[in-house]
Amino acid sequence: MSLEPSSDAVMPVTDVDDSSYPHNTGSKENSQGVIDGSTTTEAFSDTQFDVALLLNWPIRKKLLNMAVPSFICFAVAFGSSIYAPAIPDIMRDFTVSEVVATLPLTTYVLGLSFGPMLSAPISEMMGRLGTYRISVPIGALFTLGEGFAPNIAACVS
């Protein structure tokens, strides 16, 4: 197999008049960076001082905006996995079967799956901060209710 191009291969065209393109002003630049007798300068970017641009945030603000959602995700995942080792104790304390003792875990995981359907519209209307301010306290209240539940029916609901 030969690496040389065949005679019917398409070769790039180098002599194209591109002065009709909108990005080209028609001036030609030489090898020293001089265009029509003047030297080139760097373009000033408005994004260098844009505070809304995430790249311009201070490192502390970036870390905070990364740490809060990370902690929330960790707490939610931890909440779903911490219940499983307690199932034998729940069976003994509430005198229920294993199937009934796993129902609170099932409802918690179902809440995790349907939660984004509720938080997505809130996020669209109020932004991420609004979502955190509404959904995290509601989740915390349900978790407190689970922790202080006097019977298995309160755990499931």
Side-chain angles (χ1 to χ4, degrees):
M1 181 171 166
S2 173
L3 296 177
E4 295 179 22
S6 65
S7 60
D8 60 340
V10 177
M11 300 300 290
V13 179
T14 56
D15 294 336
V16 175
D17 181 23
D18 62 349
S19 61
S20 62
Y21 292 113
H23 71 276
N24 195 344
T25 60
S27 61
K28 300 294 181 184
E29 181 178 353
N30 65 14
S31 62
Q32 283 82 26
V34 177
I35 300 176
D36 295 332
S38 63
T39 58
T40 59
T41 58
E42 286 188 27
F44 177 75
S45 174
D46 290 337
T47 60
Q48 291 174 336
F49 301 106
D50 187 7
V51 199
L53 185 64
L54 301 178
L55 295 172
N56 296 332
W57 284 4
I59 191 74
R60 183 175 180 203
K61 187 174 181 180
K62 288 179 187 178
L63 287 174
L64 182 68
N65 278 281
M66 180 199 61
V68 170
S70 298
F71 176 74
I72 292 170
C73 287
F74 172 76
V76 168
F78 186 71
S80 67
S81 62
I82 198 73
Y83 186 85
I87 288 177
D89 293 331
I90 292 170
M91 290 170 51
R92 186 184 66 244
D93 291 345
F94 294 128
T95 58
V96 294
S97 67
E98 185 177 1
V99 173
V100 175
T102 58
L103 280 176
L105 177 62
T106 306
T107 56
Y108 184 82
V109 173
L110 281 174
L112 291 179
S113 63
F114 289 114
M117 289 195 304
L118 297 174
S119 63
I122 296 170
S123 178
E124 290 293 324
M125 292 185 307
M126 302 175 66
R128 264 185 257 147
L129 185 60
T131 305
Y132 297 152
R133 287 182 177 166
I134 292 174
S135 62
V136 171
I138 290 173
L141 289 174
F142 276 103
T143 303
L144 282 173
E146 167 76 20
F148 292 113
N151 55 25
I152 194 69
C155 289
V156 173
S157 60

